[in-house]
Amino acid sequence: MNASMSLSQRADALEAKMSEELDYIVIKSRLYTMADGDMSPPPNAGLLMKQHPKARVLMGDDPRLPAMPEKPTLIDFFKYRFGPSMHLLQSARHAVTAGLPEKMVLACLLHDISTIGFIRGDHGYWGAQLVEPYVDEEITWAIRAHQVLRFYPDDSVGYEYPQSYVTAFGADYRPDPYVEEDYKRMRDHKWYMTGRQITLHDIYSFDPNLHVELEEFTDVIGRHFRQPEQGLGFDNSPVAHMWRAMIRPAKYL
């Protein structure tokens, strides 16, 4: 592909190439292109369809992705949609080893699901929203809080500011004001230590040599995650559309 082409032109060329090879056209959501620093107009679906009369925009399942069951479960998302989840599995195993209650084990297992399945920015807030209808309120609060609490040491439990943050963000980085305001509220909350426990079992769960199987937590999920009968994404909950977006991330409308 021509290196002198703009991001938008390259996207158009790629979509045109796909249309020649396939019977569908993929138009990425605005968020995808903004993440590439691209503020140009999206590929013109109408023009692409004129050029490739047999092609249609993608409105159903994406054949490039693994097929999802008709009534997908949380475990199905781990298997077929989430990215690498070893960090979460290690975090949950760490919580088990520490003797934490099962709902805290589940909180550790789910704390970064937004990062591995949906969006990185404000991942604690998004992750909490994703699971809110299906778990205990304390779990939701802790998942939301862990993103904020990670930035603040707590000597009482031996939690230090992560050295990896110094490397990644710079020694002079300071959290955004809304994070600081949330921290002030969270540190006095009745569930503060629940959220803090996630940070403890989060930071020590990056061992490249430790393999943990999802099946270790099947029973914990079964007891503490209220799997909707209709399947995640189809239960008419306030967050069903978010799960559907992960099932079909390139759906046109």
Side-chain angles (χ1 to χ4, degrees), residues 25 27 42-50 57 252:
I25 297 169
I27 306 294
N44 188 310
L47 179 60
L48 287 172
M49 285 188 285
K50 284 184 179 180
V57 291
Y252 186 64

Side-chain angles (χ1 to χ4, degrees), residues 3-250:
S4 65
M5 297 171 68
S6 70
L7 283 172
S8 179
Q9 288 171 328
R10 277 183 279 175
D12 283 338
L14 177 60
E15 304 305 343
K17 183 175 184 296
M18 289 176 61
S19 298
E20 293 172 0
E21 299 172 351
L22 307 169
D23 60 357
Y24 60 90
I25 297 169
V26 175
I27 306 294
K28 296 182 177 68
S29 297
R30 187 65 176 166
L31 193 62
Y32 289 89
T33 55
M34 284 197 297
D36 286 329
D38 183 0
M39 296 296 290
S40 57
N44 188 310
L47 179 60
L48 287 172
M49 285 188 285
K50 284 184 179 180
Q51 295 170 344
H52 309 283
K54 294 182 180 180
R56 294 292 181 268
V57 291
L58 187 62
M59 286 295 287
D61 292 332
D62 191 334
R64 299 171 301 174
L65 297 173
M68 288 287 276
E70 183 179 352
K71 298 179 179 181
T73 67
L74 177 63
I75 290 176
D76 290 326
F77 276 88
F78 268 96
K79 290 181 176 179
Y80 304 122
R81 286 298 181 271
F82 292 167
S85 58
M86 191 51 58
H87 165 61
L88 296 184
L89 297 171
Q90 288 185 14
S91 180
R93 166 84 71 80
H94 208 276
V96 171
T97 304
L100 265 61
E102 283 191 347
K103 67 179 180 180
M104 278 307 307
V105 173
L106 182 63
C108 288
L109 181 67
L110 300 179
H111 75 273
D112 279 351
I113 63 166
S114 177
T115 300
I116 65 171
F118 195 64
I119 192 172
R120 295 192 65 88
D122 275 338
H123 72 283
Y125 298 84
W126 283 110
Q129 188 175 357
L130 274 164
V131 301
E132 193 163 11
Y134 315 114
V135 299
D136 185 271
E137 184 181 0
E138 187 174 358
I139 294 176
T140 302
W141 191 93
I143 292 173
R144 182 178 293 109
H146 95 273
Q147 174 191 329
V148 171
L149 300 182
R150 288 262 318 188
F151 290 103
Y152 300 93
D154 186 337
D155 293 337
S156 72
V157 293
Y159 179 79
E160 300 178 353
Y161 184 82
Q163 182 60 40
S164 62
Y165 282 12
V166 177
T167 302
F169 310 138
D172 59 348
Y173 173 77
R174 296 293 179 272
D176 291 316
Y178 74 89
V179 174
E180 178 68 25
E181 289 301 314
D182 273 357
Y183 172 65
K184 292 175 183 177
R185 288 188 286 268
M186 290 172 176
R187 66 186 177 186
D188 295 324
H189 196 277
K190 63 180 178 180
W191 291 328
Y192 164 79
M193 194 52 67
T194 309
R196 176 56 72 191
Q197 286 295 324
I198 293 182
T199 69
L200 286 173
H201 299 287
D202 184 2
I203 198 169
Y204 297 115
S205 299
F206 292 93
D207 186 343
N209 301 312
L210 177 62
H211 184 80
V212 182
E213 295 288 348
L214 177 61
E215 285 70 23
E216 286 189 27
F217 309 103
T218 301
D219 290 344
V220 171
I221 292 171
R223 284 190 285 268
H224 299 280
F225 189 90
R226 296 186 288 272
Q227 171 67 35
E229 180 182 350
Q230 305 92 328
L232 288 168
F234 305 102
D235 58 332
N236 198 36
S237 80
V239 300
H241 60 286
M242 296 167 67
W243 293 92
R244 291 197 300 270
M246 290 187 283
I247 294 173
R248 295 173 169 176

